Amino acid sequence: MDPDLRHIHGGSPRLQMERLGVRPGPVSDFSVNLNPLGPPALMRERWLELFEGVEHYPSVEGEGIARYYGSRYGIAPRNVLAGNGSTELIYLIPRVLGFRRAAVLTPSFYDYERASLLAGAEVIRYPLFGREGFALPAEDELKDLIRGVDAIWIGRPNNPTGNLLPRRSVLDLAGSFPGKWFIIDEAFIQFTDAWPHSSLLAGKPLPNVLVLNSLTKFYALAGLRLGGVVGSEDTVSRLKRAKEPWTVNGIADRVAPLLSRCADYDEKTRLVVRDEMGKLFSGLKDLEGVIPFPASANFILCQWLRTNDLDDLLRHLLANGVYVRDCRNFPGLEENFFRVGLKGPEDNQRLLSLISSFEPQGLPRAP
């Protein structure tokens, strides 16, 4: 396979320990962007009942996931396609819709680019810059970009920068370019303060807009792989005809409808994330040699300036049982960027303390 098409995902603590010469051991993993509360209590309370799903075929099209979106957002089943996580759908969309030229704001989730390339499309990168705070393009700049492509991928919030393009801006752009595809990834939208008003899941689906959503991030169910895409009936029907059957497993199919009953868990999550994100960002900002970038979700992108090599920090953290996401494999983040996913208060404070205790080899600690 062409090296540019190899799958790239978050780093593995074990592999990084081996690479950096750190003795293997347990780690607190800040490289993942999951709900710091862990899965909803009902997962444990009803696990024996859910486990029965392994004995039977699930619904062919993941009807349980469609029921979640119907119950939670009032979205009709004809406007939802369930998937084995939203990643499956990211790869399905450009293949079925026949993208020829697709725009991607970088740095961003790599699978947008890889899925487009595998579908035979040319990818146009629009770079965002750290010196500008990874600010999203102005509307006129976005219009110039969209004119030259037939599709654009937008993360809301964008991973790993955490920026959020306003809902109104997306709707205005989609209305201005009815012949272009807008693929909007809202994997982290439920963590945002303005939820649910900021989401494109609300309102009538537009014919040229597809909204991806993941249930694995907000509900800390990454191992189950469940998510969906919402769009117009015609577009969703096209995707359904091309999608493989039975990609949503039986347990995920049973879990999804139950998640619409987790209103207390949902609200508690946003309160915890709002409080802890403020503390973590403030703490990172006070650290010597660390520049954190404001984010609207449950993760913070940072740049390491204390030494010339991020490996120095990674080795120090791993030797003390903590792992953060090395972001140097993202286009535009090669200069010692890393990402921190929010965890609980004690873990967050431990991370701050460890970074603060870093001592550059051969140099005295700064006063």
Side-chain angles (χ1 to χ4, degrees):
M1 178 179 285
D2 185 320
D4 289 338
L5 296 182
R6 287 179 297 183
H7 187 258
I8 299 174
H9 196 259
S12 161
R14 181 182 60 81
L15 292 177
Q16 289 280 34
M17 285 176 170
E18 182 179 329
R19 182 180 72 85
L20 296 170
V22 175
R23 185 188 298 274
V27 297
S28 180
D29 191 353
F30 284 83
S31 74
V32 296
N33 300 331
L34 300 179
N35 192 321
L37 298 183
L42 63 82
M43 287 295 298
R44 294 179 178 85
E45 295 166 359
R46 305 185 64 164
W47 180 248
L48 291 179
E49 172 191 336
L50 294 170
F51 181 74
E52 294 176 3
V54 303
E55 299 182 21
H56 309 284
Y57 277 101
S59 60
V60 174
E61 295 182 347
E63 292 173 4
I65 292 178
R67 284 167 56 199
Y68 166 84
Y69 288 104
S71 176
R72 187 65 183 81
Y73 307 106
I75 300 171
R78 63 180 179 273
N79 296 116
V80 181
L81 176 61
N84 183 252
S86 58
T87 301
E88 177 194 10
L89 304 170
I90 287 173
Y91 282 85
L92 178 70
I93 289 167
R95 173 166 58 87
V96 174
L97 300 184
F99 291 176
R100 299 181 305 277
R101 301 186 85 217
V104 178
L105 307 180
T106 57
S108 196
F109 188 47
Y110 173 66
D111 288 271
Y112 306 153
E113 181 169 330
R114 183 173 185 262
S116 300
L117 291 170
L118 286 172
E122 177 187 0
V123 171
I124 309 302
R125 291 178 176 176
Y126 188 100
L128 310 177
F129 299 103
R131 63 179 179 270
E132 299 171 358
F134 297 105
L136 293 165
E139 189 167 315
D140 287 345
E141 294 173 319
L142 274 174
K143 286 181 176 179
D144 287 341
L145 174 65
I146 293 167
R147 287 188 184 99
V149 299
D150 57 339
I152 183 169
W153 298 87
I154 299 174
R156 298 189 68 247
N158 184 44
N159 176 24
T161 64
N163 289 337
L164 182 68
L165 186 67
R167 181 178 185 272
R168 185 70 260 166
S169 296
V170 177
L171 295 176
D172 289 346
L173 288 166
S176 298
F177 296 94
K180 312 285 186 175
W181 290 108
F182 291 77
I183 315 303
I184 312 300
D185 187 355
E186 293 195 343
F188 298 97
I189 194 72
Q190 285 168 276
F191 290 105
T192 62
D193 278 345
W195 170 264
H197 307 292
S198 60
S199 176
L200 288 160
L201 291 171
K204 182 180 178 181
L206 299 179
N208 61 330
V209 176
L210 285 170
V211 184
L212 292 153
N213 184 248
S214 169
L215 302 184
T216 61
K217 304 291 193 300
F218 189 77
Y219 294 105
L221 299 173
L224 283 185
R225 312 304 307 145
L226 62 168
V229 62
V230 173
S232 70
E233 181 177 357
D234 288 345
T235 305
V236 169
S237 179
R238 288 177 63 183
L239 296 174
K240 283 183 178 179
R241 288 196 297 269
K243 180 181 171 295
E244 298 82 358
W246 291 306
T247 63
V248 177
N249 70 75
I251 294 179
D253 208 24
R254 288 171 176 241
V255 166
L258 301 178
L259 299 178
S260 63
R261 308 176 191 175
C262 295
D264 290 345
Y265 170 93
D266 293 6
E267 187 57 33
K268 183 178 179 181
T269 293
R270 279 184 283 276
L271 290 172
V272 168
V273 167
R274 184 184 310 129
D275 185 46
E276 286 301 313
M277 279 290 286
K279 294 177 184 176
L280 183 58
F281 182 84
S282 178
L284 288 166
K285 193 173 182 181
D286 288 340
L287 292 174
E288 178 186 357
V290 175
I291 299 178
F293 293 83
S296 54
N298 61 324
F299 53 85
I300 299 173
L301 180 67
C302 303
Q303 187 175 24
W304 174 249
L305 300 177
R306 185 83 186 274
T307 67
N308 293 324
D309 191 348
L310 179 64
D311 280 356
D312 298 331
L313 174 65
L314 298 179
R315 186 179 293 106
H316 169 69
L317 293 178
L318 281 169
N320 288 280
V322 166
Y323 181 59
V324 296
R325 172 66 155 93
D326 181 351
C327 289
R328 290 175 295 184
N329 63 345
F330 283 88
L333 299 183
E334 296 87 354
E335 298 298 320
N336 295 327
F337 284 88
F338 66 98
R339 188 191 65 205
V340 175
L342 189 70
K343 294 180 78 67
E346 291 185 8
D347 283 326
N348 295 334
Q349 186 56 52
R350 181 170 176 238
L351 172 68
L352 294 172
S353 296
L354 281 173
I355 298 178
S356 178
S357 70
F358 175 84
E359 292 281 359
Q361 280 192 332
L363 295 175
R365 179 170 174 75

